[in-house]
Amino acid sequence: MKQRRIGRLLLAGGLALAFFVPQIAATPVQAEAVYDIKEMPRPDIPGLVISPDDPLQNLTARSAVVIDAASGQVIYERNKDERRFPASTTKIMTLILALEHSNMDDMVTVSSNAAGTEGSTLWLEAGEKIRMGDLLYGMMMHSGNDATVAVAEHIAGSVDKFAAMMTAKAHEIGAVNTNFANANGLPRDDHYTTAYDLAKITAYGYRVPGFEQIVSTKEIDFDWVKDPSHHLRNENQMLWLYRGANGVKTGYTDAAGRCLVSGAKKDGLQLVAVVLDSVYMWNDSIKLLDYGFAHVEPDTIVKEGDTVGYANVAGGTGRKLPLKAAETLTLAKLKGEGEAYKTRIEADDLRAPIKEGDTVGRLVVELDGKEVASTDLLAGADITRRSFFLTVWNFLRSLVKG
């Protein structure tokens, strides 16, 4: 406990210094630290063993990872699969399920159970009716544990049922080393995850409509906030400390230590960094994102509207159908590597008639034989149905040739 108190004091001092250092005058286009963050030597952390090959020797997190959100490619990792307590980074999954299973304009009634939730709070009162979207902002920006219970009960009827939904969703995403027992991250032995699983969950979140908007909001006002200003300010300082930052969530309990999942975007690339049980979580996260962006470059697999191939259409006039990409796919490529990604077309059993713009298949992107991204393929032309007489004529011609 003494070391944790010392760590908290050092962290507070480092962060205070960071805010009072003059801001960088030039504004480069790349994602990077906005302030000169003082390099602090890694303190002695009991039980932490760091490989001599680890390129980030001063990183203080027990577990850490940075990935490309689009492909899931790991750029750096330290103990990424080690089971740890997630604290309030749990709320990332709560937000995902809320966005997928409710409407932002749903009115949520706060129960006495929700209002009495321990830990960080929005000071909700039993019987209040608050818009779902407002609760989600409060939950992510101010880490309201009471809001998570209200959200869970509204969607699933109880926190236990909602936690089961969270775990099922995590496993569906591929975060198979995760088990959720509640919606907010309050400590329980059966509530755990890994740095890599949290990165996967967050990468999925960036594809959910509304997710990025909420986790990247710095400040917002709501009438129901129990404060004369009615103002909420995001606790995630990375939104101010790092250019290109667009999320996502802090967390802390005595059992979990200081945790942070952060995201940043540059040149079309979305990176996700995770630090669990970190002494200097802001510095660690900046180092991870800097390292990530320094070691990858954008690889545009396909641009929106590009013709990627042609397909036969049964019952058509004989013309091959152009297949066009529905969107641009840009993934991170490790610098110095050759062609990392492979593509394949899925567009089988096409039958006339087909109208230009119809969805007719998928372009699948693979890394090491595993699907990492895809986009719809759209018909690049109209294909009409072959007439009866042309069908007979082609049949007779085939008999003659045969």
Side-chain angles (χ1 to χ4, degrees), residues 181-379:
N182 57 52
N184 45 44
L186 289 172
R188 280 182 50 164
D189 288 342
D190 57 348
H191 188 92
Y192 54 81
T193 188
T194 69
Y196 190 33
D197 276 9
L198 272 177
K200 288 180 181 178
I201 290 167
T202 304
Y204 175 88
Y206 275 110
R207 299 194 288 273
V208 176
F211 180 91
E212 182 177 354
Q213 179 180 338
I214 291 174
V215 300
S216 64
T217 297
K218 291 182 176 181
E219 297 178 282
I220 198 167
D221 294 317
F222 292 120
D223 289 341
W224 52 266
V225 174
K226 307 293 190 298
D227 180 279
S229 70
H230 301 301
H231 189 70
L232 291 179
R233 188 179 191 274
N234 203 314
E235 295 178 345
N236 179 13
Q237 300 302 324
M238 290 294 286
L239 297 174
W240 286 268
L241 289 173
Y242 204 84
R243 282 195 183 90
N246 60 346
V248 291
K249 188 69 189 76
T250 59
Y252 174 79
T253 63
D254 284 340
R258 298 195 177 277
C259 305
L260 177 62
V261 180
S262 53
K265 189 180 289 184
K266 169 192 169 184
D267 295 336
L269 298 181
Q270 175 71 57
L271 299 190
V272 173
V274 180
V275 294
L276 299 180
D277 198 356
S278 166
V279 179
Y280 307 134
M281 69 179 185
W282 309 115
N283 289 27
D284 282 356
S285 298
I286 287 170
K287 289 175 187 175
L288 281 175
L289 290 171
D290 280 348
Y291 183 91
F293 284 119
H295 286 79
V296 296
E297 56 190 1
D299 185 3
T300 299
I301 309 300
V302 66
K303 293 182 179 179
E304 180 181 351
D306 281 355
T307 299
V308 300
Y310 296 84
N312 293 316
V313 179
T317 55
R319 176 186 179 186
K320 283 185 176 289
L321 176 68
L323 304 173
K324 294 183 177 290
E327 60 184 336
T328 298
L329 288 180
T330 300
L331 307 179
K333 174 184 173 183
L334 293 175
K335 290 181 178 178
E337 285 199 354
E339 292 295 325
Y341 297 105
K342 306 293 183 184
T343 61
R344 59 182 170 83
I345 292 173
E346 294 181 350
D348 300 325
D349 301 323
L350 299 179
R351 305 189 68 83
I354 291 175
K355 290 187 176 296
E356 184 175 359
D358 284 352
T359 299
V360 293
R362 291 197 310 152
L363 179 69
V364 177
V365 184
E366 296 180 337
L367 178 65
D368 297 328
K370 180 182 177 182
E371 179 178 334
V372 294
S374 68
T375 184
D376 287 338
L377 292 176
L378 308 179

